[in-house]
Structure formats: structure tokens, C-alpha cells
Amino acid sequence: YMDINQIQLIILKKTFTKGDYLRRVNIIREYLESRFFKNNKENFLGYLSSIRGSQHDREGLSMLDEHFFNLFTRDNLYPLINGLLEKLKALPILTLYLSVLLDDYLIDELGAWFRQNLNPELIMEVRCNPTLVAGAAYVWNNKYHDLSLHYFFAQKENIINTIINAYVNEQL
């Protein structure tokens, strides 16, 4: 029997924001409800297509296989889903402020970078703040960080350039 921590780790592999986490846990719940209570025999990728899941969600959930879904039963479905929602509250949160909303894949790249450099379990809460001239900032452990830091520029120049270009285009 796999515990909620292990299930959460599987989901977090490719899920970096609170919004994506909540939506994906919801998708998993709805898929399992359709299997358990509506006798849906469709596989998960077929299901994702039928609900018109975004390409980003499809890729983020593509590693979920039959082995993963067999961890759930009619009896443990809701306790496990509720546990996953509860455990989200316990994850360390990094609040990312962007001057413009970025592409989901860039957000994932930032999430992976933050996990590598700050905490392997963090989850991001992304907020839009058009007044940010630098393009981005984040709050971690109650400290505000401006993302125009030189080391960040050096390591993630392509992302920074995208943020700045998106910002410039918004201003034109």
C-alpha cells in the first residue's frame, strides 16, 4: 500500500504550481470516479483527450500509468484525494510575482530551478504584478527577492529575456 506522501511525490515530479496541483488532483479524482462509478474503461490518456486537457496537463500527467491508478480503490479514493489536498497545505510555498503571465513551460522551468536551488519540495504560487519593472520577484521564507540578481541572470538568461521581452511588448 502506497501512502499519500509517495503519491504526492509522483504528482510533484512535473507539477510546480499550486494551481496545477489542484487542477491535476481534480482531474485524477474525476477520472477515477468515472472508472469506479460510471464503468468507464477508457485509459487515462484517452480520458485526458476526451475532457480536452491542455497539452501542458497531458505532459505533466503522462507518467501516471495503470500501476499508479491501481493504488486507488473505491474505498480509499476520497481519503487519498483529501489527503493530497491537505498535504498541499504543508508544502513550502514560494510566491512568484511576474509582471506578465508566462508560458506554463517557462513557469515549470523556474519551478525546477527553485526546487534545485532552494527546496526540493517547494510549490509555487504565481501572481501577476504589472508594476514590477524588473519583470519578476519572489518571496521565500518571508524574504522578498528581486529576480534581477546577477547570478540568476547568468543561469537563466533565456527565461529572464523572455520575461523582459514580454514586459516590453505589454508596454508598447
Side-chain angles (χ1 to χ4, degrees):
Y1 172 73
M2 188 177 277
D3 72 348
I4 292 168
N5 290 336
Q6 290 165 296
I7 293 173
Q8 184 181 56
L9 283 175
I10 294 168
I11 295 168
L12 286 175
K13 266 194 191 105
K14 291 185 175 179
T15 301
F16 298 94
T17 70
K18 217 172 161 176
D20 285 351
Y21 183 99
L22 290 167
R23 194 179 55 261
R24 289 171 181 179
V25 167
N26 214 23
I27 290 170
I28 291 166
R29 176 185 54 79
E30 288 171 359
Y31 171 64
L32 287 164
E33 284 172 344
S34 78
R35 264 176 59 152
F36 295 143
F37 308 115
K38 296 178 188 147
N39 210 18
N40 179 0
K41 299 278 182 248
E42 195 173 24
N43 72 21
F44 186 58
L45 290 177
Y47 176 78
L48 280 174
S49 273
S50 70
I51 61 164
R52 295 195 177 88
S54 72
Q55 181 65 25
H56 183 244
D57 279 339
R58 277 188 251 188
E59 289 171 21
L61 295 168
S62 62
M63 73 292 185
L64 304 184
D65 53 9
E66 275 308 297
H67 172 74
F68 175 84
F69 291 109
N70 289 335
L71 301 170
F72 295 86
T73 64
R74 277 172 176 249
D75 295 332
N76 75 14
L77 173 60
Y78 295 111
L80 284 177
I81 294 294
N82 292 335
L84 287 168
L85 297 175
E86 270 310 298
K87 287 199 71 56
L88 172 62
K89 297 175 189 165
L91 291 175
I93 290 225
L94 179 140
T95 308
L96 178 65
Y97 293 93
L98 299 169
S99 55
V100 288
L101 282 181
L102 291 180
D103 165 283
D104 289 328
Y105 297 97
L106 281 172
I107 302 259
D108 285 355
E109 252 189 84
L110 281 168
W113 189 89
F114 285 130
R115 280 189 186 161
Q116 212 179 323
N117 290 281
L118 299 177
N119 181 317
E121 289 190 347
L122 71 76
I123 192 103
M124 295 187 303
E125 195 159 346
V126 182
R127 303 213 176 125
C128 202
N129 177 354
T131 63
L132 280 171
V133 181
Y138 69 94
V139 175
W140 176 248
N141 291 337
N142 295 318
K143 280 201 183 81
Y144 182 89
H145 303 268
D146 193 323
L147 282 191
S148 57
L149 300 172
H150 294 299
Y151 74 88
F152 193 83
F153 263 112
Q155 292 188 6
K156 282 289 171 205
E157 205 170 336
N158 58 336
I159 292 181
I160 296 287
N161 288 337
T162 304
I163 293 170
I164 291 169
N165 292 337
Y167 179 76
V168 169
N169 291 337
E170 289 273 309
Q171 302 307 308
L172 296 177

